[in-house]
Amino acid sequence: MESSSSGSCVHEHHIAGTLYHWVVLFAVWLCGSQHVLSQKTTLEPKDKFLLSDPPIGLFDPIEISPSVLPHNPNPVEPLSPMYPNYTSYDPVLTGKCHVNFSALSYIIDKTASDCSIPLAPLVADVICCPQVNSLMNIFQAAYGSGNDTLVLSQTSANACFSDVMSILASKGANTNIPELCTLRPSNLTDASCPVKDIRSFEKIVNVSKLLDACSSVDPLKECCRPVCQPAIAEAALHISSGGSNMFGSSSIPGSVAGIDIVSDCKGVVHSWLSMKLSSEEANSAFRVLSGCKVNKVCPLEFDEPSSVVKACGKASSSTPSCCAALHSYIGKRQKQIFVTNLQAINCATMFGSMLQKAGVVDDIYGLCDIDLKDFSLQGCLLRSLPTDIEFDNTTGISFTCDLSDNIAAPWPSSSSVQSLSLCAPEMSLPALPVSPKSGSSVGTSRTGIGVLLSLVVFTTSITI
């Protein structure tokens, strides 16, 4: 229950204090958490394009270094499904991490599958890193549940982090997860947060309100009408001051150091929630929250499109050189990663705005038949809702492609477009034209991944 001092604090302060509270809270929402960040690329787009709704969130967009793999020399012919080409083994553990790993088998197995050796670099942005982050939150709670703590000491964190990565690798996960997702043992310590034990946490935070907001996160509503995200941010802000007067204290200035403290405290809030929810419930909630941020950013790099501008400056339907330049440029931008359908809309709008600013007036997406799937590896758009890598004896390792038909990429109405709302009821998605091939506008398909002579190559084979 929330302490009486914390309750009276909110009621006794004047309007200026209240405004300061929300200003700080807004800054917390914007800063995002360092727990889910994947490795940043060396080159970044000059124009960062973000979906505008909502202006809050807990997880920063994930940016990964592209992994360039051999192209399928025969892309029309589907390859055989991919089956695990590794042999599980008993990991060598430190013996210094006192956790019942068997109790975490569900979440560990799911994470190992989502970060499997060949796929992790290609789906790190939307599948692997969000799932690893969720595992770390749940593991942190499992460690502390027996001793009234919500964090690990640095010594314990070092040993447990090593053990977790070893167990994942023994189950077929990529060994580069720490680099892909920018994970460190310190992610388990949340060192700068002043509240680290359960008793103090529950004295300061209105835990009933927090649990009500996050016990069941609606994947269809949370990103546009957030309930859990602001509840977590508010709880983190409260404990970042140790329950003291946050308005009169100088311990949480609007500085980088102050925001880092609140960011660590969000990790403590995640740990507490993981204790109160089942592993399945906690994992579902964390995946939805990370997805809200992932889908707001285009993970592809767009360097200066001079070749496209030169060929398409005065484009017309009878200008094959324009379409050739456009298809070549977009093909290279894929960077061998999969993106979600919402990320593809983001990328298409961002790139179109860049072209308009450079003088390309005509809708060259329409002229050259550019579809949303052209922005994702092998034309497979992942679903915007959290998804996982699946395995069965028939299809092998696979995942679901969304919007598999030829959905036209949206050409921005103005070069000044810098944000796109996908939350308003009247602006949920661009018009989805009927595919001339299938007569269907929206669909899902199963994409298998094949392995040939240790080289990872991709197939667009579809099984419905």
Side-chain angles (χ1 to χ4, degrees):
M1 295 180 65
E2 189 173 18
S3 67
S4 59
S5 62
S6 176
S8 62
C9 169
V10 175
H11 292 291
E12 293 178 358
H13 282 83
H14 49 72
I15 297 176
T18 303
L19 291 175
Y20 178 78
H21 166 75
W22 288 110
V23 168
V24 174
L25 188 57
F26 181 73
V28 173
W29 286 333
L30 291 181
C31 77
S33 170
Q34 64 181 356
H35 298 291
V36 216
L37 289 176
S38 63
Q39 186 177 12
K40 291 187 177 180
T41 54
T42 303
L43 299 176
E44 297 182 353
K46 293 183 178 179
D47 296 322
K48 198 68 173 182
F49 180 86
L50 297 175
L51 300 181
S52 60
D53 291 324
I56 56 178
L58 298 174
F59 298 88
D60 277 343
I62 301 174
E63 302 173 32
I64 63 173
S65 293
S67 176
V68 180
L69 299 176
H71 289 281
N72 178 4
N74 243 334
V76 178
E77 297 183 10
L79 301 175
S80 301
M82 182 182 78
Y83 295 90
N85 61 348
Y86 61 86
T87 302
S88 60
Y89 57 88
D90 293 328
V92 177
L93 305 182
T94 63
K96 300 178 181 179
C97 182
H98 307 295
V99 170
N100 181 6
F101 286 103
S102 297
L104 297 170
S105 59
Y106 163 80
I107 193 70
I108 289 176
D109 289 345
K110 179 181 285 290
T111 305
S113 175
D114 283 349
C115 298
S116 58
I117 293 173
L119 290 179
L122 306 173
V123 297
D125 185 41
V126 292
I127 298 180
C128 175
C129 292
Q131 182 56 45
V132 171
N133 174 74
S134 179
L135 168 63
M136 301 303 281
N137 291 333
I138 295 170
F139 177 85
Q140 189 171 323
Y143 182 92
S145 60
N147 50 22
D148 192 45
T149 184
L150 294 167
V151 300
L152 281 68
S153 67
Q154 189 60 60
T155 300
S156 297
N158 291 338
C160 290
F161 186 85
S162 174
D163 285 354
V164 169
M165 292 302 126
S166 295
I167 293 174
L168 289 174
S170 74
K171 294 177 177 292
N174 195 296
T175 57
N176 292 325
I177 288 177
E179 291 74 28
L180 279 173
C181 304
T182 319
L183 286 175
R184 301 172 296 276
S186 59
N187 290 110
L188 296 171
T189 67
D190 297 310
S192 65
C193 187
V195 175
K196 296 179 172 63
D197 63 280
I198 300 174
R199 185 173 303 178
S200 297
F201 181 93
E202 295 182 348
K203 284 183 178 180
I204 298 171
V205 175
N206 185 338
V207 293
S208 297
K209 176 183 176 182
L210 176 61
L211 198 56
D212 287 344
C214 298
S215 59
S216 180
V217 180
D218 190 328
L220 298 178
K221 296 180 179 179
E222 180 66 26
C223 297
C224 293
R225 299 173 183 84
V227 176
C228 181
Q229 295 176 78
I232 291 177
E234 186 173 5
L237 184 60
H238 276 297
I239 64 175
S240 65
S241 63
S244 63
N245 183 341
M246 72 182 70
F247 302 111
S249 172
S250 60
S251 61
I252 314 179
S255 64
V256 173
I259 291 177
D260 283 345
I261 293 174
V262 181
S263 180
D264 273 356
C265 286
K266 281 188 290 187
V268 173
V269 178
H270 296 156
S271 179
W272 184 87
L273 281 171
S274 298
M275 286 185 178
K276 299 301 179 180
L277 303 176
S278 68
S279 294
E280 293 86 348
E281 291 171 332
N283 186 67
S284 175
F286 294 138
R287 288 294 303 273
V288 171
L289 296 181
S290 64
C292 290
K293 290 297 286 186
V294 164
N295 285 309
K296 289 180 65 177
V297 68
C298 172
L300 303 181
E301 298 175 9
F302 289 91
D303 55 17
E304 199 65 37
S306 56
S307 59
V308 179
V309 173
K310 181 178 179 180
C312 303
K314 296 181 180 180
S316 68
S317 57
S318 60
T319 310
S321 60
C322 169
C323 294
L326 181 60
H327 281 285
S328 175
Y329 183 93
I330 292 179
K332 293 176 181 177
R333 299 291 80 75
Q334 287 182 350
K335 294 293 184 182
Q336 298 288 9
I337 62 173
F338 294 98
V339 301
T340 68
N341 47 19
L342 294 183
Q343 285 179 324
I345 295 174
N346 197 346
C347 292
T349 307
M350 169 185 168
F351 182 46
S353 179
M354 289 175 61
L355 292 175
Q356 288 179 338
K357 289 178 181 178
V360 178
V361 178
D362 296 327
D363 176 5
I364 59 175
Y365 288 168
L367 293 175
C368 302
D369 296 323
I370 298 297
D371 301 322
L372 287 179
K373 66 181 183 180
D374 293 328
F375 290 89
S376 187
L377 178 63
Q378 291 293 304
C380 170
L381 291 170
L382 301 180
R383 295 179 294 183
S384 57
L385 296 179
T387 189
D388 295 295
I389 303 298
E390 300 177 10
F391 170 77
D392 63 49
N393 292 328
T394 302
T395 62
I397 295 176
S398 61
F399 50 84
T400 300
C401 296
D402 196 13
L403 298 178
S404 57
D405 293 329
N406 299 323
I407 308 305
W411 182 256
S413 58
S414 170
S415 63
S416 62
V417 173
Q418 290 298 318
S419 63
L420 175 66
S421 170
L422 295 178
C423 289
E426 67 277 5
M427 178 54 194
S428 56
L429 280 174
L432 303 181
V434 174
S435 168
K437 295 182 179 180
S438 66
S440 173
S441 61
V442 180
T444 59
S445 63
R446 184 73 63 187
T447 293
I449 310 298
V451 173
L452 181 61
L453 298 178
S454 301
L455 296 180
V456 181
V457 287
F458 293 88
T459 173
T460 55
S461 61
I462 304 297
T463 57
I464 302 296

